[in-house]
Structure formats: structure tokens, C-alpha cells
Amino acid sequence: GEKKKKKTVTEKYWDWELANETKPIWMRSPKEVTKDEYNEFYKKTFNEFLDPLAHTHFTTEGEVEFRSVLYVPGMAPLNNEDIINPKTKNIRLYVKRVFISDDFDGELFPRYLSFVKGVVDSNDLPLNVSREILQESRIVRIMRKRLVRKTFDMIQEISEGENKEDYKKIWENFGKLLKLGCIEDAGNHKRLAPLLRFYTSKNEEDMISLDDYVENMAENQKAIYYLATDSLKSAKTAPFLEKLVEKDIEVLYLVEPIDEVAIQNLQTYKEKKFVDISKEDLELGDEDEVKEREDKQEYNLLCDWIKQQLGDKVAKVQVSKRLSSSPCVLVSGKFGWSANMERLMKAQTLGDTSSLEFMRGRRILEINPEHPIIKDLNAACKNDPSSTDAKRAVDLLYDTALISSGFTPDSPAEL
């Protein structure tokens, strides 16, 4: 038979080889990832040279699924423009592991948490996601809520940890922003308040939390007392403190400009009201009514006489319950600004001077019935009400009280 023709056929096979074995860090289980790997990832992703102060890695499931790794940076940005500038590029948004953008911080985090850096990877958002979609999206609202809650958990864990230095660093770098949160985010007051730290009349070296303050309170103390000034030094020497220190009542010192507004926004903590000790009607809870009545009668004439001397400078003159060593003090009306607030408002660039007059609040001169100068004045006003020395003494007392109570005299040169 004929020989069969043989044909050589070459067949090609494609063999695929996987080039990148590594899974992104947020896709791995948090148990497998070491702290060093988290720190390494943070430094590479965000061009940082310091290790982060804290990190959290979590997956949320349910109606909205996303994975995230968040960090608290090692230090605050050197200039504060991050607070003003919402374009921080701190949160990298991925959809199904594809990097989409780092421009959406403002949609995923409130302004006061803009310092948090990290990665968020969502399975539910469309790949062509835009700012309009994010602003409308219910998914994003839920993500934002979870991200904020996880951030609080991460910071709170450090604040309750053994090592006090760790939280001290967070507070030094980002404390101002957390106080901003008290002003801007009323819904999270319960989470923010325990994170705050203040100096007090009993802790001038180390800051304490509001929890520490409440724990140390005497049983009959009904309120949390605070004093707002421009520095620790002036807080320590303020005449408002005298009686409270004598009675061993702790007072919070609010020495940063934002503090007073933050505390006023909180209003209460653990059902205890915040009370400004530089305002009128200070109740310390153990008043001796008989003595008060006697003092009031005894000094009634003097109060009227001083008021007459000072005219419109003060709304009224009354006997004080808060002094022990100073002759007198100038307190603010209940509804006006405190001396500290007035100082800050005057310093505002775009401040409106007409509202200054309106909000200035009434000033009330309180005199200390135990003080020798006041006793001498009382005698003088009864014996010789038109004496020029006595009148000069009143002006001097008023000017002294003005300065020691933290107000700014209108014309310092005349003092």
C-alpha cells in the first residue's frame, strides 16, 4: 500500500504566571498583619517618616460592605492649614481594590477628624464614582458613620491604655481638633467629652480628664467649675478662685482660645453642669445665710456709694461670696461674655465693634466684707462721703479689679 503522509503539527500552549502574589494589606486578616507591616504600609502610602500613633483595621459587613485601615499620624501638620483647607488627601478611596481618588476626605470624615489617614475599600460604590454620587449616596452616609465610630474607638482605646504618654502625644497634636468637634458635632458629644484633657487648680502639671474631675468631686458639689483665661499663670492667680481653693473645690483651667466655646457647647457632663466662676450668682452650695444678710445690711450704703462713684462703669455693686484675700473683683453678667471671651472677640480680625458693646454683658463689682480696705471705706463713706481720698480709693479699686479679673482697661496710660 501507499505510505501514509505524516504531517507535523505544532500546538502552542499558553501558561499564565501570576506576577503579584501579595494581597493588599487591608484585604488580609488583621490577625496576620504585624504592627511593623502596618507602620511600613503607612509610611510608604503617605510619605511619612514617623510611625503612626495608632491604627485600626476592620471590615464591615451587612448592607454596606467595606474594608478599611485607619491611622492617627505621628504628628500634626506643621502649619494649621489642614483645618482650613479641606483638601487634605488623607483618605485613599478604593472600589473593589481599584484606586479611585484621594479627594473625598470631606465626604467620608467630618472636618475635625481630617487628621486621620488611611485606606477605604468599598464593594458597593460604582467604579465611576464622583463627588456628586458621594454626596447623594446613602452608602456613603453609612460608611461615614462607621468610619467616625471606629476612629473614636481607636483614640479612646489609647486614652484608656496603660501608657499615658501615648495619649498625651495624641492630645498635644490633635486636641484642638477634638475640641472643634465639641462645637461642630453635637451628635458625638458623648464620645468626645471623655477624650478632653484640662489643667486644673489641683493638677497644674498634668492634664486630667473630665472623668477624673468628676471622681474627685466632693459629694455635695453639684457642678463642674471652670475659669477661662489666657494662660495658666493668670488662671492660678485669678481672684475668682480664692473661696473655691479655700473650700478645696477643683476648678478647670481653660487656657486655649477654643476651650471656652467647646465647654459651652457641651453644657453638661455626666448630668453635671459646667459653671463659669467668673460670672455672677456663683453658688457653692454651703452658704451661710444669716451672715450674708448681716453683711448685706452692713455694706448696703457702701455698695450704693461706690455705684454712684463709678456710674455706668458697673451695673451694680454687691457683697461677694467668692473672695477671701482680694478686696474686690469684677464679675460678668450671666448672659454676656466673660472677660476671656471679650478679649478673644476684640482680637477677631473681622470683629464687629458694635456687637462688642451689645454682648459685653453687665459688669458687677463684688466687694469682700472681710478685707481691711473695704472696712475702712465703709467707715469713710458713713463719716465723710465726699472725701476725695475715699473717691480716689474707689477708682483705684475698680482699676485693680478690672485688671486682676482679666478685663482690658480702656486707656491703660491713665491708670
Side-chain angles (χ1 to χ4, degrees), residues 91-229:
I91 300 295
R92 296 173 65 83
L93 177 66
Y94 289 74
V95 173
K96 300 186 179 71
R97 276 137 338 275
V98 179
F99 173 61
I100 304 293
S101 168
D102 52 10
D103 273 346
F104 296 143
D105 299 14
E107 277 67 44
L108 294 169
F109 274 89
R111 180 169 78 148
Y112 67 93
L113 290 178
S114 60
F115 60 88
V116 176
K117 297 191 174 193
V119 171
V120 177
D121 183 354
S122 160
N123 280 341
D124 307 307
L125 290 170
L127 279 167
N128 63 346
V129 65
S130 66
R131 178 160 281 120
E132 285 69 37
I133 293 177
L134 284 186
Q135 281 168 342
E136 296 299 310
S137 159
R138 204 179 110 266
I139 297 173
V140 172
R141 279 202 295 279
I142 296 172
M143 283 170 67
R144 178 180 170 122
K145 219 171 173 174
R146 301 261 166 89
L147 288 165
V148 169
R149 188 178 314 152
K150 285 290 184 187
T151 304
F152 276 128
D153 290 348
M154 160 170 70
I155 297 175
Q156 193 179 341
E157 198 176 312
I158 289 194
S159 75
E160 291 165 357
E162 291 297 300
N163 187 348
K164 292 280 175 267
E165 284 303 307
D166 288 351
Y167 188 66
K168 201 173 168 188
K169 277 184 200 154
I170 291 187
W171 183 252
E172 279 167 6
N173 282 300
F174 308 110
K176 281 196 182 78
L177 287 161
L178 294 175
K179 291 174 199 165
L180 180 68
C182 297
I183 300 167
E184 294 190 340
D185 187 356
N188 276 315
H189 276 173
K190 277 199 172 66
R191 290 203 175 94
L192 282 158
L195 298 174
L196 302 179
R197 297 288 181 271
F198 297 102
Y199 291 112
T200 71
S201 52
K202 292 184 182 176
N203 293 276
E204 293 173 353
E205 302 301 318
D206 292 318
M207 297 182 135
I208 65 162
S209 68
L210 293 173
D211 284 330
D212 297 337
Y213 181 96
V214 173
E215 266 171 45
N216 299 339
M217 275 167 53
E219 279 184 19
N220 61 352
Q221 189 180 332
K222 300 279 184 290
I224 299 176
Y225 296 106
Y226 71 86
L227 173 65
T229 60

Side-chain angles (χ1 to χ4, degrees), residues 132-349:
E132 285 69 37
I133 293 177
L134 284 186
Q135 281 168 342
E136 296 299 310
S137 159
R138 204 179 110 266
I139 297 173
V140 172
R141 279 202 295 279
I142 296 172
M143 283 170 67
R144 178 180 170 122
K145 219 171 173 174
R146 301 261 166 89
L147 288 165
V148 169
R149 188 178 314 152
K150 285 290 184 187
T151 304
F152 276 128
D153 290 348
M154 160 170 70
I155 297 175
Q156 193 179 341
E157 198 176 312
I158 289 194
S159 75
E160 291 165 357
E162 291 297 300
N163 187 348
K164 292 280 175 267
E165 284 303 307
D166 288 351
Y167 188 66
K168 201 173 168 188
K169 277 184 200 154
I170 291 187
W171 183 252
E172 279 167 6
N173 282 300
F174 308 110
K176 281 196 182 78
L177 287 161
L178 294 175
K179 291 174 199 165
L180 180 68
C182 297
I183 300 167
E184 294 190 340
D185 187 356
N188 276 315
H189 276 173
K190 277 199 172 66
R191 290 203 175 94
L192 282 158
L195 298 174
L196 302 179
R197 297 288 181 271
F198 297 102
Y199 291 112
T200 71
S201 52
K202 292 184 182 176
N203 293 276
E204 293 173 353
E205 302 301 318
D206 292 318
M207 297 182 135
I208 65 162
S209 68
L210 293 173
D211 284 330
D212 297 337
Y213 181 96
V214 173
E215 266 171 45
N216 299 339
M217 275 167 53
E219 279 184 19
N220 61 352
Q221 189 180 332
K222 300 279 184 290
I224 299 176
Y225 296 106
Y226 71 86
L227 173 65
T229 60
D230 56 346
S231 68
L232 259 182
K233 204 171 178 183
S234 58
K236 290 177 198 171
T237 53
F240 305 111
L241 281 173
E242 293 171 2
K243 260 291 181 340
L244 289 103
V245 169
E246 217 171 75
K247 293 186 173 168
D248 200 36
I249 297 173
E250 193 167 9
V251 178
L252 298 177
Y253 292 155
L254 309 187
V255 291
E256 288 195 351
I258 195 171
D259 291 355
E260 190 173 357
V261 190
I263 286 288
Q264 284 167 352
N265 273 280
L266 285 179
Q267 291 179 341
T268 60
Y269 183 68
K270 298 207 168 160
E271 289 157 22
K272 300 207 172 350
K273 263 197 164 128
F274 287 104
V275 173
D276 183 346
I277 62 167
S278 70
K279 296 275 182 93
E280 65 176 324
D281 296 343
L282 179 69
E283 299 288 340
L284 296 177
D286 55 350
E287 279 71 20
D288 175 354
E289 287 180 13
V290 182
K291 186 172 185 321
E292 274 177 33
R293 219 174 303 126
E294 285 172 2
D295 282 345
K296 204 168 177 184
Q297 278 174 330
E298 169 67 21
Y299 287 94
N300 209 352
L301 202 69
L302 177 65
C303 288
D304 292 347
W305 181 74
I306 294 180
K307 169 74 181 107
Q308 207 180 330
Q309 291 303 316
L310 294 173
D312 289 339
K313 287 183 189 170
V314 293
K316 64 177 176 191
V317 180
Q318 62 191 29
V319 174
S320 180
K321 298 185 244 182
R322 69 186 94 205
L323 294 175
S324 58
S325 58
S326 297
C328 55
V329 69
L330 206 58
V331 299
S332 314
K334 232 187 225 160
F335 304 111
W337 285 330
S338 64
N340 184 56
M341 205 60 173
E342 194 174 306
R343 179 180 63 81
L344 292 172
M345 286 305 178
K346 274 185 184 164
Q348 297 295 330
T349 327

